[in-house]
Amino acid sequence: MNSAEESASLLSSPSMTDIAQITWDAVIVGGGMVGASVALGLGQQGMSVLLLEKQPVDTDWNSEQAYQVRVSALTRASEFILRNLGAWKGIEARRCHPFTAMHVWDELTSGNIHFSAQEMGEPNLGYTVENSVIQAALWEQIETCDAIQVVLNRALNGVRLSQNNDRVQSFDEQKAWVDIEGIGEVRTELVVGADGAFSQVRQLACIGLDTHDYEQCAVVGCVKTELPTEDTCWQRYTADGPFAYLSMGKYISSIAWYLPMEKMQWALELPDDEFAKEVSKASDYRLGSVIDVGERAAFPLTRRHAEHYIKPNLALVGDAAHTIHPQAGQGVNLGLLDAAALVETVLAARSAKKPWGQRSVLRKYERWRRGDNAIVQRSMEAFDWLFKQDATLKVPFRKGFLPLANRLTPLKNWLMAQALNGREALPKLARK
Ligand SMILES: Cc1cc2nc3c(=O)[nH]c(=O)nc-3n(C[C@H](O)[C@H](O)[C@H](O)COP(=O)(O)OP(=O)(O)OC[C@H]3O[C@@H](n4cnc5c(N)ncnc54)[C@H](O)[C@@H]3O)c2cc1C
């Protein structure tokens, strides 16, 4: 029996002992938006997947549910990944909102740039979706996929990897082992670390991290405004940092307000009416006054980049591999591209009858994604530097940059294509 048949015969009534007896094609730690996508991408192609998640995921949905604090602006590439995994219908059935324009302006120089879907010949520029909606829609698909076995709320006690497996020819030679509380050591061809920014898998695999503290936090939440959002994402560069309204509906926006760390507590503790006034001011009343505010939260911002995305029989994806300044809303979009690229790499190796945990196979995934993610991280830093209002020397350049980019059609189209689809070499799952 191969491992898929072996797991299929056990999955109908799995017990913790059964789980330890199977050699899994992949063990994925973390069932957030990115880990759940890898699980589906592999599971839907018949690979046996063990998915570990710390927290239960609620797939129930009630349309009266208040807007959640965490929202992502998804690119078209992410939309296609979620469509190809069968999760998009679950997103549409819950709640999502297309945005058709993006307007960015600078408080200091009044320069601005405007992107519209119409100019790009696209129906929209992307969708704003609550993270819990994306995760629920993915998990709804996981529930229907027989090849995926879920283990909830069990501690990860350890990960054991083979040393150098490039000469391994057969699937039986070297593997990785994942030690799970109450189950014991589970054998697998591939461990996927999709366990977020503080990834335990990354730490257990002794993979170093390059970090940079932005000394900023993002205050997020949903608000209702006096004027309609015009299905637009509005971003203003202010003295404190960028402020953004992401359209979630006719009068509803998700805000992302970037502030110096010393203002984080202040922003969280302001009474709702004062918070509404400060948000209206930060946006320069672009949507009139804020008339209602929901729950809010704040996140300190750090750039992180894992020194390696892979080791023999192990790969990192999503925030476990990289976190970036969210001002251009790219974090989960990059993570979903990682997921799609890893799935494609593994499936290609399986078709070629090669062990997909082999370092030389996984290197293809690393080469595909690491450089791309580094470029996006660095461009975010360049923006952060340019728009920090501390150096008057930058002002002439800033004065020119947005209006010039707005007039130069090729530059504008290039900027937009990056934002819509990510860079070149899109994985198959990310294509229409
Ligand atoms: C303020 C803010 C705004 C953002 N806005 C955007 C945006 O507009 N667009 C965008 O693309 N990105 C945005 N991002 C980034 C985006 O939220 C992240 O990139 C994304 O959530 C990463 O997804 P992930 O699945 O890799 O990790 P996570 O969402 O962190 O998921 C990790 C999962 O692993 C589980 N886990 C952790 N440890 C274990 C363990 N030991 N065992 C089992 N399970 C475990 C967790 O419970 C969780 O479910 C934003 C980020 C911030 C902070």
Side-chain angles (χ1 to χ4, degrees):
M1 242 190 328
N2 65 30
S3 66
E5 286 163 351
E6 192 183 23
S7 55
S9 66
L10 290 170
L11 286 183
S12 46
S13 55
S15 72
M16 293 305 163
T17 334
D18 291 337
I19 287 170
Q21 281 166 13
I22 300 167
T23 298
W24 296 88
D25 289 335
V27 173
I28 300 172
V29 184
M33 297 178 279
V34 177
S37 299
V38 180
L40 276 177
L42 299 177
Q44 288 173 343
Q45 297 307 314
M47 298 189 81
S48 62
V49 174
L50 184 66
L51 176 60
L52 311 186
E53 172 51 52
K54 235 174 17 183
Q55 286 160 4
V57 178
D58 188 3
T59 52
D60 283 346
W61 180 258
N62 155 11
S63 57
E64 300 297 303
Q65 210 157 304
Y67 282 93
Q68 305 288 299
V69 191
R70 297 290 305 267
V71 169
S72 295
L74 295 180
T75 59
R76 300 302 304 281
S78 294
E79 175 195 335
F80 291 127
I81 293 172
L82 294 162
R83 275 188 194 280
N84 289 328
L85 294 174
W88 194 256
K89 52 184 182 296
I91 291 177
E92 283 182 318
R94 290 176 173 87
R95 192 156 59 195
C96 67
H97 189 76
F99 55 94
T100 53
M102 207 183 284
H103 188 83
V104 180
W105 77 108
D106 183 6
E107 175 189 22
L108 188 69
T109 66
S110 307
N112 66 74
I113 186 164
H114 187 84
F115 301 98
S116 77
Q118 203 183 12
E119 258 179 298
M120 301 290 299
E122 296 279 347
N124 59 60
L125 296 180
Y127 285 83
T128 42
V129 195
E130 289 145 274
N131 291 5
S132 55
V133 164
I134 303 172
Q135 204 188 8
L138 285 163
W139 275 70
E140 202 165 57
Q141 292 305 304
I142 286 173
E143 283 167 6
T144 67
C145 183
D146 289 341
I148 305 175
Q149 173 63 49
V150 172
V151 169
L152 287 176
N153 201 14
R154 300 268 170 164
L156 171 67
N157 290 335
V159 171
R160 200 151 54 86
L161 301 174
S162 44
Q163 291 303 308
N164 185 343
N165 63 358
D166 277 347
R167 294 219 176 83
V168 165
Q169 295 297 328
S170 101
F171 285 91
D172 290 327
E173 282 183 58
Q174 283 185 322
K175 301 276 179 209
W177 288 264
V178 180
D179 190 352
I180 307 164
E181 177 202 6
I183 296 179
E185 278 205 324
V186 171
R187 196 167 183 246
T188 181
E189 178 60 32
L190 180 65
V191 183
V192 179
D195 47 346
F198 303 99
S199 170
Q200 198 189 344
V201 172
R202 187 185 63 222
Q203 291 167 38
L204 288 167
C206 300
I207 297 179
L209 199 60
D210 171 35
T211 61
H212 167 75
D213 183 354
Y214 289 112
E215 295 168 1
Q216 260 185 355
C217 66
V219 178
V220 292
C222 282
V223 301
K224 189 171 181 186
T225 54
E226 201 178 12
L227 301 178
T229 64
E230 298 169 31
D231 300 331
T232 297
C233 290
W234 305 91
Q235 180 146 310
R236 177 183 189 227
Y237 283 94
T238 77
D240 276 334
F243 171 89
Y245 276 132
L246 308 180
S247 171
M248 299 282 293
K250 193 160 182 198
Y251 294 97
I252 306 289
S253 293
S254 165
I255 61 157
W257 188 15
Y258 302 94
L259 292 169
M261 279 306 289
E262 59 271 18
K263 290 196 174 173
M264 184 164 110
Q265 261 335 93
W266 165 79
L268 286 175
E269 285 166 9
L270 277 174
D272 283 358
D273 55 338
E274 304 246 339
F275 182 74
K277 277 187 200 148
E278 293 293 338
V279 168
S280 316
K281 230 193 296 172
S283 70
D284 198 21
Y285 301 90
R286 178 60 67 147
L287 303 180
S289 293
V290 168
I291 53 177
D292 198 6
V293 301
E295 199 191 328
R296 70 193 102 130
F299 301 88
L301 301 176
T302 304
R303 165 171 58 74
R304 301 179 183 84
H305 210 180
E307 282 166 9
H308 307 281
Y309 284 14
I310 61 148
K311 280 217 160 176
N313 301 100
L314 181 135
L316 300 177
V317 286
D319 275 20
H322 48 77
T323 59
I324 92 173
H325 197 296
Q327 64 172 305
Q330 285 299 318
V332 79
N333 291 304
L334 298 178
L336 290 171
L337 286 174
D338 295 347
L342 180 62
V343 166
E344 191 168 324
T345 308
V346 167
L347 294 178
R350 181 181 68 164
S351 302
K353 302 201 177 341
K354 269 184 132 184
W356 47 89
Q358 213 168 52
R359 198 183 152 281
S360 55
V361 168
L362 294 174
R363 267 293 285 152
K364 285 184 201 143
Y365 157 69
E366 184 176 54
R367 279 200 302 271
W368 196 346
R369 296 299 310 144
R370 197 172 184 284
D372 220 28
N373 291 335
I375 290 173
V376 179
Q377 280 189 330
R378 296 295 171 185
S379 358
M380 285 309 100
E381 239 141 85
F383 260 83
D384 193 44
W385 172 82
L386 181 61
F387 287 97
K388 272 218 168 109
Q389 311 217 333
D390 54 354
T392 40
L393 281 178
K394 289 182 228 162
V395 171
F397 184 65
R398 272 171 61 166
K399 259 193 180 141
F401 179 73
L402 289 178
L404 181 71
N406 200 29
R407 277 198 306 270
L408 267 183
T409 312
L411 173 61
K412 196 171 163 184
N413 287 350
W414 182 85
L415 284 171
M416 206 57 238
Q418 308 306 301
L420 277 176
N421 289 325
R423 292 159 43 76
E424 297 91 47
L426 276 185
K428 284 182 200 146
L429 266 180
R431 297 186 217 148
K432 223 173 200 166

